[in-house]
Amino acid sequence: MDATHDVQGLLSVIIPTHDQARNVERLVHAVKQVTPGAEMIIVCAGLQPHADDISVSYVWGAKVIAAESNASSSECRAIGAKHATGSVLLFLDERNGLSQACYKKWIAKVQQGYDVVMCADDFGQAKTKPGSVRYAFSFLNQLLGHRQFGSASLEKAPFILNRKALETIDFRALCIPAVALVKAVKKGLAITCEPIERSARKRLPPSQALAKPKSVLFEEHARAIHMLLQDKNERGAMPDGERHRILAQETGLLHLRSVFYQESDDKEADGWGAKRKERTKRIRKRAQRHKRRPH
Amino acid sequence: MEKWENQGRLSIIVGVEQDEKTVLKVLKQAEKLCPLEIVVVVHGSQDRSLEQVLSYSGSALRIFVYPFALGEDVWRTVGAREATGDVWLFLAAEQIVAAHELQPFVRSCYRGGDIAVRHAACSPVRVKEEQYPVQLAKQFLNSLLNRSELGGASMNDLPFAITREAASSIGAHYFLVPAVAQAIALQKELRVTSIRTRIERLSGKEQRITPERDAQSKLTDLGDHLEAISFLQQPDE
């Protein structure tokens, strides 16, 4: 039997999108072909909710949930996770689907016992210089002790969570993916990374409607790091370089030290290498005098 | 022309520990800038570094000698408290940088900059494995404070120059944790520029420091950056 059959029917696919998106229908059909029988949830930012305040409708066989117009993709994912009923939640990007082969690999990871499967990338191997955002992802992974994750992050779809992971980290935490990842690691969830095919990575430019400003993303990472350090100290239990910090509080007069004053010799002036230039000048003049002198 | 400006405005602060091989060369380069003063902080020196500094007669020196090691970067706070110039240039005695490579740092401060730090590229391909978390931390701290273009440039790395006003705005007592000082500087929107420079003869650290101590130093640097991030996360008082 196909390995993926075990989870089909228990699978929820969550796709954040916005009201201006054009490729949602195509994406839904493409995903349905790969994951037949899965619960499809589309969280649409900026979609007008129904008058009776029930913001759920059904289109193309998918549950469509309205979200606020300024909701980010991670906030949309958190809303989708709240409404999902499956035991495995697959979060996709509005731009990209997932091929059959790739999907099978990812689901196989869940069946192996992993609670979280993130998208691996080629951070560190690529010749191009990564952007500052990927450095932030990579830095957090380093601090979490998972250097091998590179710049993988719950900020980037696709990723998979099982029901246990969702309940452990709480769907609200998905609004701030960096915090969700810290929670997942602290709670000891089994996390792995799985690559996706190169062709799926670069189809469409990122949607500005759902994008988070970089400053917000960095701030969220700082919050996540701060949360990570709470169990230790403000330095993350790193050494302090044997600093005598008390000396910074006291005036120098109270320091146990000796003070010496040394007078200077003459200084060279007139630009860099003035002495050398002066010497060269003298030599040239002397040479000219020799030339002029009659033999 | 710049030398005349240096004579009236520049304080050079040098931290010396076990640097008998390099300290004289560093002082020689410092002297070439014709500064107003050179403040030397010798601490925990067990080799002939102090002897070398005391025997140096090239330039006016103010030497502060501590019989014990102050700990990483504490000399910066000590030196900053004693400096009297308008612009302060911090140098490590273990690292010889040619005078003409140092002047751009000072020049940047004369021309309206507040802090001039050394340019550092943060590339996962180029950086050594053990240095990488620290480089990421530097890059992250700059990005967090909306200065991604500074890359991995940091006050952690010497040389750097700072104006007296900027230093008093930060608080000299924060200089002992350079990452925190940088965080405060960027938070206060001081004008921080990065200067591309060539440091040809890195004769000190690589030769003298054991791998264990080097690893310890990296962890301290990482801890400094975590402290800076924690500092920024504290609610404003």
Side-chain angles (χ1 to χ4, degrees), chain A residues 123 135 219 222 229 234-235 241-245 247-248 250 255 257-260 262 264-265 267-268 271, chain B residues 3 34 54 56-57 60-61 63 65-66 69-72 81-82 122 132 136 176 220 224 227 230 233:
Chain A
F123 187 79
Y135 282 115
E219 190 54 46
L229 301 181
E234 57 178 8
R235 298 179 57 82
E242 297 171 10
R243 291 181 173 116
H244 291 277
R245 290 191 182 226
L247 290 174
E250 303 293 344
H255 290 193
R257 68 183 185 187
S258 313
V259 185
F260 299 88
Q262 270 178 226
S264 66
D265 288 351
K267 291 171 184 173
E268 63 177 59
Chain B
K3 284 198 175 183
C34 299
L54 291 174
Y56 188 76
S57 58
L61 300 182
I63 307 159
V65 184
Y66 288 79
L70 292 172
E72 207 131 314
R81 286 225 173 114
E82 304 299 336
C122 182
Y132 193 50
L136 283 176
L176 59 88
T220 304
D224 287 356
E227 189 176 334
S230 300
Q233 290 296 304

Side-chain angles (χ1 to χ4, degrees), chain B residues 58-95:
Chain B
S59 187
L61 300 182
R62 290 166 66 206
I63 307 159
F64 298 88
V65 184
Y66 288 79
F68 54 93
L70 292 172
E72 207 131 314
D73 301 323
V74 179
W75 64 268
R76 299 186 189 197
T77 291
V78 172
R81 286 225 173 114
E82 304 299 336
T84 57
D86 295 334
V87 173
W88 307 343
L89 176 67
F90 289 83
L91 299 179
E94 66 201 10
Q95 192 182 65

Side-chain angles (χ1 to χ4, degrees), chain B residues 209-221:
Chain B
I209 291 180
T210 59
E212 293 79 29
R213 187 165 167 209
D214 195 31
Q216 192 77 356
S217 169
K218 297 279 178 297
L219 290 177
T220 304
D221 289 349

Side-chain angles (χ1 to χ4, degrees), chain A residues 93-169:
Chain A
D93 195 287
E94 60 156 351
R95 298 171 290 163
N96 305 321
L98 206 59
S99 73
Q100 183 80 42
C102 207
Y103 167 68
K104 280 183 182 173
K105 273 190 203 167
W106 280 57
I107 290 298
K109 286 284 176 190
V110 177
Q111 286 167 333
Q112 282 169 27
Y114 286 105
D115 302 309
V116 181
V117 186
M118 295 192 293
C119 175
D121 68 3
D122 54 1
F123 187 79
Q125 280 90 54
K127 283 179 184 171
T128 52
K129 195 184 167 198
S132 51
V133 170
R134 288 177 72 194
Y135 282 115
F137 297 158
S138 181
F139 182 47
L140 183 62
N141 289 335
Q142 290 265 355
L143 293 178
L144 288 168
H146 290 289
R147 188 194 163 98
Q148 75 279 11
F149 289 172
S151 65
S153 168
L154 292 178
E155 195 74 50
K156 296 182 292 187
F159 64 89
I160 286 181
L161 299 181
N162 64 14
R163 180 57 57 183
K164 177 189 160 195
L166 186 66
E167 283 167 3
T168 307
I169 63 177

Side-chain angles (χ1 to χ4, degrees), chain B residues 153-171:
Chain B
S154 170
M155 284 169 72
N156 234 52
D157 303 324
L158 295 173
F160 78 87
I162 185 167
T163 61
R164 174 204 285 279
E165 290 80 25
S168 62
S169 165
I170 293 168

Side-chain angles (χ1 to χ4, degrees), chain A residues 13 26-38 40 59-62:
Chain A
V13 181
R26 186 190 57 77
L27 182 62
V28 168
H29 291 308
V31 173
K32 274 191 165 182
Q33 281 183 347
V34 177
T35 61
M40 294 283 295
V59 181
W60 311 308

